[in-house]
Amino acid sequence: MSTDTLTSSSPHELDKEAGSGSRHLSGIYLKLTAILAIVISLYAIYSNALSNTQEFYRNVTFLGGILILGFILFPLSKRYATPKFNYWDYLFILLTLVSYGYFYFTYVDLHVVRNSIPDTLDYVMAVIGIGVLFEAARRTTGYFIPGLSLFAIIYALFGQYFIGIFGHAGFSLERLLFRLFMTSEGIFGITLSTASTAIIVFILFGAFLSVSGATALFNDLALAIAGRRRGGPAQVAVISSALTGSLSGSAVANVATTGTFTIPLMKSIGLSPRFAGAVEAAASTGGMIMPPIMGAAAFIMAGFLGISYTTIVMAAIIPALLYYAALIIAIDLEAKKQGLQGISKENIPQVKAVLKARGLLLLPLFIVIGTLLMGKTPIYAGFLGIITIIIASWITPDTSARMTPKKIAEALSEAARGSIQVTIACAAIGVIICVVTMTGIGSTLAFNIVSLTDNTLWMILLVVMVVCIVLSMGLPSTALYIVVAVTVSPILIKAGVLPLAAHFFVFWFGVLSNITPPVALASYTAASIARSDPIQTSWSAVRLALPGFIIPFILVYNPALLMQGNDLNVLSIIYMIMTALIGIYSLSVATANFWMIKTHWLERIFFAIAAILLIKPGMLTDLAGVIFIATAGAVHRLRYNRQRAFPLGLIRKNNKDV
């Protein structure tokens, strides 16, 4: 499980996104670690719901606890992944206590008594605190985030040695340390504040929901709804991953959780291991863009844009549904192509029986969404959802769902574990945000890229798409969003794209890096379950999700699909949804190389051109797209009818193809 997730499964899931793997504890060490995790979660509840804790004290306490938990669960390297600690673990835990504890107790003295004038000891403690954070980030997320943050520090200190547009006057070490560690502009800035408030609350909500058995409910519901359809198990994977991913927000954890159920099911009806893994990887990746959680990126996005969390959630609904519609269409075409059937009726649970047994566990989801739509804060909605889970679990007919004290303790422990990666990533990336703000490099890059492309939007979008996929490879959802939002989204905004559409565009392609080779973590995880080749599985996942690659472009040209714009009305939104679906279907046919029968190469080109034309709104482009589809469809239909009339010719052709 990624610790960017809101649920927790086996310890092995943690290894998939961790920098050096997780330590499997036992005995007294396991119990003490569980107690520490429970204490961290209880502190999060106390600081967010029961007290008026000042932001700095909340952030430094929460981050300090998470760092210690991270050093306990994530060893120095895979070689040290044993139940026993080594001197390095003890040293970093001690340094964490000293540095973060120092600023906890001297914060008022520094900013009130000494008028924000640090002394030598302050600077020393800041260096230790930053170093400790970077080591924790390396252990939990790999080298990319701490490496990028370290480069940001070097860039801030030695800007005068960088050439061209990258050059700047440079900052002193003392000034940089003060901004990074002694104010709310760097490590203890907006990203960590979001992690210690809204994100941890929803991690708690997801952990409680998972422990109550909601994941099994999602799988049973998906099986009951889509099991009998053509290629039913693949459709089940899509629905189950969408439901689970809407809470977990991690593609890797979603694959590890639902894939163990859906991938064998898909293989049982004749789907190849590669295709089964690709379906699960693509479906689970969509969970990162599925409201209400969106991998916790929704909370960060709301903070960056200065808009309400509810606005983000409402904006994400149509794009997420379009993505899953694209997957369902692609899977249905593949199932039709292979002549696959669904699961037999006797092996499928009844929707009524599933809802009767555990349907009340869906109530917390409706409560949370309804509370958010009423304008309440995410923190309020999250805590209300947790309370609802506990109540619903006790009135659910299935007694195994009841949240006993033992299960509550388990949920608290898993929530703290599940917040390690996201919290440390948010803190480390605070360094990058601070440096970008100090140097102004973000606006400089935006201006120059827009100038080089002559402000041609489609060229800018293509450049940004590639940059986002590359920058996001191997990163958990929250971290990848922050990286691309800080470094790339200003380019689109400078080009005239609406800020919300710009942030959705960069986040979307950051998310798709989970299935895009060469670093496709979701595809690799699915391949390990399906026992298929990882690279081939990755390319199959890309082909399946390819129609989803055009959705961000549609959002830029059609911001009404994000509920943005001055001329919003129901008819225009419905029209845009219909044209988007037609374009997605057209591209799905082109990529599948199949509709009623195998498509001709010229038909594929026509279908692909139609999809591109339907990206940009306008009567002329829409009409041209429809003409291309109608032409290709008519020709395809004639070929289909002819082959039906002359089946022998079809047999000969198929034999020739073989």
Side-chain angles (χ1 to χ4, degrees), residues 486-524:
V486 171
T487 58
V488 188
S489 65
I491 299 171
L492 296 182
I493 296 172
K494 180 71 177 177
V497 178
L498 286 177
L500 183 58
H503 279 255
F504 262 87
F505 186 92
V506 299
F507 176 52
W508 196 288
F509 281 112
V511 165
L512 290 175
S513 69
N514 278 275
I515 58 172
T516 308
V519 187
L521 292 181
S523 296
Y524 292 172

Side-chain angles (χ1 to χ4, degrees), residues 67-129:
L67 287 173
I68 293 172
L69 189 62
F71 286 125
I72 291 173
L73 291 176
F74 292 83
L76 187 69
S77 65
K78 291 181 179 179
R79 186 162 64 92
Y80 293 99
T82 64
K84 295 182 179 180
F85 298 149
N86 57 60
Y87 292 113
W88 287 108
D89 299 323
Y90 289 117
L91 175 62
F92 281 113
I93 290 173
L94 178 62
L95 291 176
T96 300
L97 289 169
V98 170
S99 57
Y100 288 82
Y102 174 82
F103 280 104
Y104 183 92
F105 290 108
T106 63
Y107 184 75
V108 173
D109 176 68
L110 171 62
H111 290 283
V112 178
V113 179
R114 289 185 279 147
N115 295 316
S116 299
I117 301 175
D119 56 25
T120 303
L121 186 57
D122 292 326
Y123 291 126
V124 170
M125 289 298 172
V127 171
I128 293 173

Side-chain angles (χ1 to χ4, degrees), residues 202 292-293 299 308-311 313-314 365-382 384:
F202 271 84
I293 308 301
F299 306 112
S308 70
Y309 168 77
T310 306
T311 302
V313 171
M314 294 299 294
L365 291 175
F366 294 116
I367 292 291
V368 167
I369 294 172
T371 305
L372 290 171
L373 293 178
M374 289 170 58
K376 301 294 184 181
T377 66
I379 297 174
Y380 180 90
L384 186 60

